[in-house]
Amino acid sequence: MPVTDKSRPQGASSEVVRDINRRIVLNLIRTRQPISRADLARVSGMQRSTISLIVEQLIQENWVLTGPTGRLPRGRRPTFLRLNDERVMIGVDIRPAQITVAVADANGRFISQEAIVTTPDPEFTMDRLIEVIQRIVASCQGRKIEGIGVSVPGRYIPGSNRLVFAPNLGWRDVDLRTPLMKATGLEVEIENAATACALAAVWFDHMEQVRNLVVVTVSEGVGTGILLNGQIVRGLNGMAGEFGHVPLDPQGPLCGCGRRGCWEVYASNSAALRYYRESGSESAGVSFLDLLSRADQGERRAEEALRTMAYHLGRGMRMLVAGFAPERIIVVGDLTRSWKRFEAVIEPEVLAQVLPGGVAPQLIPAREGGVARLRGTVALVLENDFGVCS
């Protein structure tokens, strides 16, 4: 049961109840569209009069449109409801090499995408990002832009407007939210990339019934997004989930966070490239995708570098299994392109950590892993109205 503050009176006002019911109806339309008012009442257990009032409100707000009419053997023909595709969101995925900006509709379908280079100068990069977003806003005439969602490879303290911990990005203490809001007049939601991916899994991968999952993002570093009991875990100052910076060996390689031997220096894409370089292979200009390709062609040293990376990924996931007992562990990143290779090494490590009486988590690669972070930015904006993981 949730912990309550006994010093404050408890109880839900009529406004809170109406808001909860509104979110329930909106999510039922989102997940079951097209759906009739009668079916909404049947599935939700609400009175038809309550459903009618909520649906009329959602239509007036342009969240919901009436679609075609259905056919029944007798009686009044039902009118189906669906989300308004003209309600759009702007998603921004910030990474060390590039920033991707996309427009998506309320169903998570991408309408357009473009990318700009991330530079070491955050002010210069933000100016360029604002130019791109302003151009996108101008091109969205006739569409209602609900807001901007931003995923970052680090930790962002809610309420501070500042990115405070992003060792792989190289930016320090940067205000991301204020410049975007001033330049566009839109609401801006910012979240750690792994947490955004966890939201994307719940929103768009039909995991509404999954209450406990961990998303592991693997790129230049390793991040984790955590959903426990149906709620996103952010922790004090939004710093929960930094398992990539848990030291596995205090004498290990130097990490971007300043410590040594963190999980990500053993299990990231950068780690795999280091293993390959240390094997004596010619590695100048070789990317992680190149490494995957060389391994697929049977190059032994590339295969061994990826196997070592996978082993350390699995060893680190033991922390997640023991600490959270998740139903699913979802892996996001370029490694999912060769998932069978990684799964064969990671899965035994994960299974070995399941304690007596426990249940082994399902280990799965992210669907559409290349855009999982962008899909998470869309979910960030929608979460304000739909409140799936609030």
Side-chain angles (χ1 to χ4, degrees):
M1 295 181 64
V3 176
T4 58
D5 183 353
K6 292 182 172 58
S7 67
R8 300 175 63 185
Q10 301 298 312
S13 66
S14 58
E15 289 81 6
V16 171
V17 173
R18 282 197 295 269
D19 183 60
I20 291 172
N21 286 341
R22 177 184 179 277
R23 292 186 177 204
I24 290 172
V25 172
L26 196 49
N27 276 297
L28 284 173
I29 296 172
R30 177 180 70 87
T31 57
R32 297 174 182 243
Q33 60 186 321
I35 187 172
S36 68
R37 290 172 175 83
D39 285 337
L40 282 172
R42 178 180 55 81
V43 174
S44 69
M46 298 181 200
Q47 296 291 330
R48 289 198 178 195
S49 58
T50 302
I51 292 294
S52 293
L53 287 172
I54 294 173
V55 167
E56 288 308 311
Q57 178 189 0
L58 293 174
I59 291 174
Q60 290 176 10
E61 294 173 355
N62 287 321
W63 270 115
V64 171
L65 299 176
T66 55
T69 55
R71 293 184 178 276
L72 293 175
R74 58 183 177 275
R76 186 177 180 180
R77 298 176 66 181
T79 300
F80 292 112
L81 306 166
R82 60 181 175 84
L83 290 187
N84 183 1
D85 288 342
E86 295 300 306
R87 201 91 180 227
V88 299
M89 281 62 60
I90 296 175
V92 179
D93 176 25
I94 299 178
R95 301 196 187 198
Q98 72 173 30
I99 299 173
T100 305
V101 186
V103 179
D105 64 26
N107 290 300
R109 292 187 292 258
F110 290 107
I111 299 167
S112 66
Q113 290 186 44
E114 60 180 288
I116 62 173
V117 174
T118 308
T119 75
D121 183 346
E123 185 174 346
F124 174 80
T125 304
M126 287 297 295
D127 286 343
R128 290 205 56 203
L129 174 61
I130 287 170
E131 290 176 6
V132 171
I133 293 177
Q134 288 176 327
R135 185 172 69 251
I136 289 173
V137 170
S139 70
C140 285
Q141 294 181 358
R143 291 190 170 108
K144 172 67 167 65
I145 303 176
E146 186 63 20
I148 301 172
V150 183
S151 73
V152 293
R155 294 294 162 175
Y156 173 84
I157 298 180
S160 74
N161 293 343
R162 310 191 80 81
L163 176 69
V164 296
F165 182 74
N168 293 313
L169 187 59
W171 296 358
R172 299 184 65 85
D173 196 28
V174 178
D175 184 346
L176 301 177
R177 189 167 183 264
T178 303
L180 290 175
M181 289 184 64
K182 285 183 176 179
T184 64
L186 297 170
E187 284 298 317
V188 178
E189 303 295 334
I190 302 177
E191 187 56 270
N192 167 261
T195 301
C197 289
L199 279 172
V202 175
W203 269 87
F204 301 117
D205 292 343
H206 307 291
M207 294 191 186
E208 293 86 357
Q209 303 306 314
V210 177
R211 305 285 293 170
N212 301 281
L213 66 82
V214 177
V215 171
V216 179
T217 58
V218 185
S219 55
E220 297 83 4
V222 174
T224 57
I226 305 161
L227 182 83
L228 289 182
N229 298 323
Q231 301 291 309
I232 289 292
V233 176
R234 291 184 172 88
L236 183 64
N237 286 341
M239 295 296 286
E242 283 296 338
F243 285 92
H245 294 287
V246 173
L248 303 183
D249 179 3
Q251 307 304 317
L254 184 66
C255 179
C257 72
R259 297 182 177 88
R260 288 189 174 274
C262 294
W263 182 22
E264 72 174 38
V265 302
Y266 294 106
S268 63
N269 295 358
S270 303
L273 291 171
R274 187 181 75 251
Y275 299 140
Y276 187 62
R277 182 172 63 252
E278 290 172 350
S279 72
S281 300
E282 177 55 49
S283 59
V286 175
S287 68
F288 183 74
L289 291 178
D290 294 332
L291 195 61
L292 291 177
S293 177
R294 293 185 180 191
D296 289 341
Q297 294 169 13
E299 185 180 325
R300 184 184 59 80
R301 289 179 176 176
E303 291 177 330
E304 186 58 34
L306 295 178
R307 187 179 300 111
T308 304
M309 170 192 175
Y311 168 75
H312 287 293
L313 263 176
R315 295 287 289 181
M317 286 182 192
R318 286 178 171 233
M319 294 185 289
L320 309 179
V321 176
F324 302 116
E327 301 165 55
R328 299 184 186 182
I329 297 177
I330 302 170
V331 182
V332 177
D334 289 333
L335 77 166
T336 60
R337 302 187 185 196
S338 297
W339 180 242
K340 288 184 178 180
R341 176 189 304 279
F342 285 88
E343 182 183 32
V345 180
I346 295 172
E347 189 171 47
E349 294 297 324
V350 170
L351 294 178
Q353 186 56 53
V354 179
L355 300 174
V359 177
Q362 185 179 4
L363 184 67
I364 56 177
R367 184 175 69 87
E368 297 181 298
V371 294
R373 298 187 189 194
L374 275 177
R375 291 163 72 228
T377 65
V378 176
L380 279 174
V381 178
L382 291 174
E383 185 76 3
N384 284 331
D385 281 276
F386 291 72
V388 174
C389 299
S390 296

